[in-house]
Amino acid sequence: MSDSPAVLMQATGLVKHFPIRRGLLNRVSGHVRAVDGVDITLRVGETLGVVGESGCGKSTLGRLLLRLIEPTTGALQMEGADLMALDSGAMRAKRRDLQLIFQDPYASLNPRMTIAQTLAEPLKVHGLHPGRETERVAELLNLVGLRPEFAQRYPHEFSGGQRQRIGIARALAAEPTFIVCDEVTSALDQLVAEGILSLLDRLQNELNLAYMFITHDLATVRSIADEVVVM
């Protein structure tokens, strides 16, 4: 009997072509083949590394899996259910399970919102922990190695590594099962990046998370991925 973890998500034949429009009439003159027939399998509690040069479609693939953009063709299943068959209301509820950590830890945070407001927002959207949002925000900050009193500060008051930890906490607020990590260490220096990778590894073990880790760095993906896809 196989000891492999259960399949969480499976993509078959994913294709995304973006139209190229030209002229006054905005006619389609061709297509950019961002993703062209990708098959992948993601397992519960494991990390799938996706590597490739800039512009090869790595981030587009991640957004296809989260259904932030719609594929041109292809099938996408999560825990045996057809994600492509979900209407907007059902997909909105499903987004709790599907989260994204962005490459730029500053641009991904609203500079006009305190950290408490940033972390409480997904709690309110998904109806989580009603009446104890303040306590949950403190728990999330602790989870990513930050002090609870940081909740009343603004993004500009933090270092790049701290802001990335806040971005991770925001993704965790929805209590997901799958997170796309899109070049999450590329804007950080080596020592800080190692701390973020260690944090992600600990969180995966504690919370049984599945990651898609997008990077152009083969050394990084070799150290954290259970399987690797090259684009």
Side-chain angles (χ1 to χ4, degrees):
M1 192 178 217
S2 173
D3 292 328
S4 296
V7 172
L8 177 68
M9 182 178 287
Q10 191 155 32
T12 306
L14 274 188
V15 172
K16 182 61 180 179
H17 294 171
F18 292 99
I20 301 170
R21 299 183 180 275
R22 301 183 188 279
L24 295 175
L25 298 179
N26 205 28
R27 289 176 175 168
V28 175
S29 62
H31 289 84
V32 174
R33 297 172 179 265
V35 175
D36 205 9
V38 173
D39 301 333
I40 58 170
T41 299
L42 288 150
R43 297 187 179 275
V44 173
E46 291 192 349
T47 298
L48 177 68
V50 179
V51 296
E53 61 186 13
S54 297
C56 70
K58 303 185 300 297
S59 294
T60 299
L61 175 60
R63 283 158 176 74
L64 286 171
L65 296 185
L66 299 176
R67 271 198 70 188
L68 294 175
I69 56 176
E70 298 296 327
T72 304
T73 59
L76 184 59
Q77 291 189 325
M78 185 171 183
E79 297 175 320
D82 184 359
L83 279 186
M84 302 309 302
L86 299 181
D87 61 23
S88 59
M91 194 62 217
R92 193 176 303 114
K94 192 66 175 172
R95 293 215 179 276
R96 260 195 70 185
D97 294 326
L98 308 167
Q99 294 295 312
L100 173 64
I101 303 170
F102 296 90
Q103 176 178 358
D104 188 334
Y106 188 73
S108 65
L109 299 174
N110 188 331
R112 295 185 174 137
M113 293 174 67
T114 66
I115 302 312
Q117 292 170 324
T118 294
L119 298 184
E121 187 174 43
L123 301 179
K124 294 173 183 175
V125 168
H126 297 291
L128 299 172
H129 305 279
R132 60 178 303 271
E133 289 88 355
T134 300
E135 293 88 339
R136 183 55 180 160
V137 165
E139 291 169 359
L140 289 165
L141 288 171
N142 274 320
L143 196 58
V144 298
L146 296 175
R147 297 201 299 270
E149 56 264 33
F150 287 177
Q152 300 311 314
R153 298 185 184 180
Y154 288 86
H156 73 270
E157 300 180 65
F158 297 94
S159 68
Q162 288 173 324
R163 286 195 291 262
Q164 195 58 287
R165 288 173 184 265
I166 294 165
I168 293 169
R170 183 177 57 184
L172 294 177
E175 300 173 4
T177 55
F178 171 53
I179 300 177
V180 172
C181 305
D182 190 2
E183 299 270 14
V184 295
T185 59
S186 65
L188 307 174
D189 64 41
Q190 184 175 352
L191 187 59
V192 175
E194 288 174 359
I196 294 297
L197 293 176
S198 178
L199 171 63
L200 290 171
D201 183 61
R202 174 174 64 79
L203 293 170
Q204 183 173 57
N205 291 329
E206 290 179 4
L207 305 175
N208 203 28
L209 297 168
Y211 296 141
M212 170 179 277
F213 195 92
I214 297 171
T215 183
H216 62 274
D217 187 342
L218 285 171
T220 297
V221 81
R222 189 181 298 118
S223 69
I224 64 166
D226 297 284
E227 295 186 42
V228 178
V229 171
V230 179
M231 292 184 69

